[in-house]
Amino acid sequence: MQRGPDEGRIRRAEGVKAPERRPTMIEVARLAGVSQSSVSMVLNRMEGARITDATRQRVEEAARTLGYELPGRSRLRHRDLERRTIAYLVDEISTSPHPVINLDGARDAGWEQGYLVSAHVTRSDPALEATTLAAILADPSVLGIVYSTIFTRKITPPDALRTLPSVLLNCYEEERSLTAVLPAEVVGGFNATTHLTQLGHRRIGFINGEPWMDAAVDRLAGYRQGLATSDLPFDESLVLHGDWYPTTGYRHAKDLLTRADRPTALFCASDQMAVGALEAAAELGLRVPDDVSILGYDNQELARYTNPPLSTVVLPNYEMGRRAVETLIRLANATKPARPHLIKIDGPLVARNTTGHRAAAALKR
């Protein structure tokens, strides 16, 4: 049956109510006398925003008066809401290749299981981090949070991580109340040293990173364990601390390789320091690996292109990112809470052309 133009009036006359129009954020801003962005920050509870208490009260009062409700919060009441986004927070990403590879692993693991990973860089700014976390918590599509740091360290996790399923990546807390994914640095240092001892080296210099960093502490522990396993004494004079970069690798390698009882192998705690060590060896007229073996750590892209190509230990950034997201998805979809635990990821040793058996000349010394 065809309906005439007066149908709307007839329906209202019969007591049928038209749907009520919801108030908008612009109307809240107009009533409160503030900008729309200020309304958004107040109603999304963005703690890092520089909003005065008076402004916050005006916005909240205007929202109550108009009956305004955030669309996302009303959607949260639906049990069938699909959370298909994983928030990935990292303090730095542009100053080192390591966090980028972490993110690659996280992104790939999420995509394979039907989740998108959204990256947020906080630059170690507490206000920016608080505001970012507030926005994440207000987003009904977020399944959980991967909280990552550029280098391995102990942290005090923000309280927001207790609100959603969360996994720490490359960082940990003393209380171990959150699951954390870390590199197995002691194992890496052990494998590096054992590789050299198995090649017959008995005097192995170690050029380490900054001694206050967890990575340096653990790689040194692995070096000592590797020596002990081969019944070799630990000689503190063979351990020099650098800063991960080629300049200190060059300087410390030159120191070690000009000694009367110079080592026949150098284990450098980063590929970049190993590049500096290669330069020092070449300047001293030493052949690598015939006269001295040099081993790096991290397996950065440059390790394949040194002359000769650098033997190194893989820092498993990609695998760590994958495991963090896989673990988060399991935690979020579990039927009962899982006990937080520490996950350590091993990185294999890649033997290229800078390590070899101890030279005959060294055997005679």
Side-chain angles (χ1 to χ4, degrees), residues 10 12 40 180 194 196 225 278 311 316 327 334 344 354 360 365:
I10 294 170
R12 285 193 293 274
S40 176
T194 301
L196 295 171
Q225 288 182 18
L278 286 171
S311 297
T327 302
K344 291 204 171 184
T354 58
R365 288 193 314 187

Side-chain angles (χ1 to χ4, degrees), residues 277-313:
L278 286 171
E279 183 182 349
E283 190 175 294
L284 293 170
L286 297 174
R287 297 166 300 163
V288 177
D290 296 337
D291 298 323
V292 60
S293 286
I294 296 177
L295 179 67
Y297 201 112
D298 293 337
N299 195 34
Q300 291 190 26
E301 188 70 12
L302 62 86
R304 294 190 296 163
Y305 302 108
T306 57
N307 184 26
L310 182 67
S311 297
T312 185
V313 177

Side-chain angles (χ1 to χ4, degrees), residues 97-172:
H98 301 305
V100 177
I101 303 172
N102 284 146
L103 180 56
D104 281 345
R107 179 203 59 204
D108 290 350
W111 181 248
E112 288 168 11
Q113 298 193 49
Y115 296 88
L116 290 176
V117 173
S118 62
H120 308 268
V121 184
T122 64
R123 305 301 299 270
S124 300
D125 183 331
L128 177 56
E129 179 177 277
T131 302
T132 302
L133 282 168
I136 289 169
L137 296 182
D139 185 346
S141 72
V142 174
L143 178 79
I145 301 170
V146 173
Y147 187 90
S148 178
T149 54
I150 190 172
F151 60 86
T152 307
R153 60 188 176 91
K154 183 170 67 175
I155 64 163
T156 300
D159 292 338
L161 299 188
R162 318 290 180 184
T163 306
L164 284 175
S166 298
V167 170
L168 303 179
L169 173 59
N170 210 33
C171 55
Y172 59 95

Side-chain angles (χ1 to χ4, degrees), residues 87-101:
Y88 184 102
L89 247 71
V90 61
D91 51 3
E92 281 287 353
I93 202 167
S94 60
T95 57
S96 167
H98 301 305
V100 177
I101 303 172

Side-chain angles (χ1 to χ4, degrees), residues 16 25-26 76 79 82 108 117 124 149-150 159 186 209 212 328 339:
V16 179
M25 194 174 288
I26 294 175
L76 282 173
R79 293 187 177 183
E82 276 208 303
D108 290 350
V117 173
S124 300
T149 54
I150 190 172
D159 292 338
V186 176
W212 59 269
L328 177 64
R339 184 178 180 182

